[in-house]
Amino acid sequence: MKNENELSKIIVDCAFKVHKNLGPGLLENTYEVCLHHELSKRGLKVEKQKGLPLIYDEIKLEVGYRLDILVEEKVIIEVKSVAAFDDVHFAQILTYLKLTQCKLGLLINFNVPLIKNGIKRVVNKL
C-alpha cells in the first residue's frame, strides 16, 4: 500500500499527462473524468464525486459536500479550471481534509499554460 507522497507523485504524473493531451481551457468535469481514468489505469482505488457527510452533534448531515477525486482513501484531489486559485479553493480543500481525516490534498488547476504552476499541495496538520 502506497503512502501519501508516493500517491502524490503518481497523481502529479497523471495530471501532467492529462494536461499535455488536453491543454488548458476546458471544463473542470472534463479534466476530472480524464484524471480519474488515468489514475484508474495505474491500478489505484479512485472514487469520483464522492459524497462527504458532515457529522454534527452525533448526527450525520448530508449538506452537499462532494470530493472531486479520492485516491486510495488517502489523498483528496480538487480539480479546477480557473484563472487563478482563490482563498476559497484552499478553504474548501482544508475543510474536506478535516472532515475526512486525510493528511494530503492536491488542488490542481488545469487552466494554466504549465501544469506545474497549477498544482498546490495542501497538508492537514491533524
Side-chain angles (χ1 to χ4, degrees):
M1 189 169 242
K2 297 179 182 347
N3 67 33
E4 288 85 354
N5 286 329
E6 292 167 327
L7 291 171
S8 176
K9 289 176 186 174
I10 295 168
I11 293 165
V12 168
D13 185 53
C14 290
F16 270 80
K17 184 172 183 179
V18 169
H19 191 268
K20 180 181 178 188
N21 286 312
L22 299 178
L26 302 175
L27 297 174
E28 286 176 12
N29 186 55
T30 303
Y31 298 113
E32 182 182 315
V33 169
C34 293
L35 184 58
H36 178 271
H37 173 71
E38 287 297 332
L39 292 166
S40 296
K41 281 183 5 184
R42 301 280 184 107
L44 299 174
K45 178 183 178 197
V46 187
E47 298 173 85
K48 181 171 53 105
Q49 288 298 314
K50 181 176 174 65
L52 180 62
L54 172 70
I55 307 297
Y56 179 80
D57 198 26
E58 298 181 25
I59 301 171
K60 182 179 178 180
L61 304 170
E62 297 294 336
V63 292
Y65 291 130
R66 294 207 164 279
L67 305 177
D68 284 348
I69 299 175
L70 179 62
V71 181
E72 295 285 329
E73 298 182 7
K74 290 183 177 183
V75 180
I76 296 170
I77 304 171
E78 188 61 29
V79 176
K80 299 295 179 197
S81 183
V82 293
F85 285 128
D86 194 75
D87 288 345
V88 70
H89 300 132
F90 291 97
Q92 179 184 24
I93 198 160
L94 278 171
T95 297
Y96 293 167
L97 288 170
K98 288 176 186 172
L99 290 175
T100 60
Q101 297 297 305
C102 288
K103 294 178 189 173
L104 180 63
L106 293 173
L107 273 172
I108 303 178
N109 181 13
F110 284 91
N111 195 29
V112 292
L114 295 172
I115 190 65
K116 70 177 185 173
N117 297 331
I119 300 173
K120 302 294 180 197
R121 288 174 60 95
V122 181
V123 177
N124 183 12
K125 297 180 175 127
L126 306 171

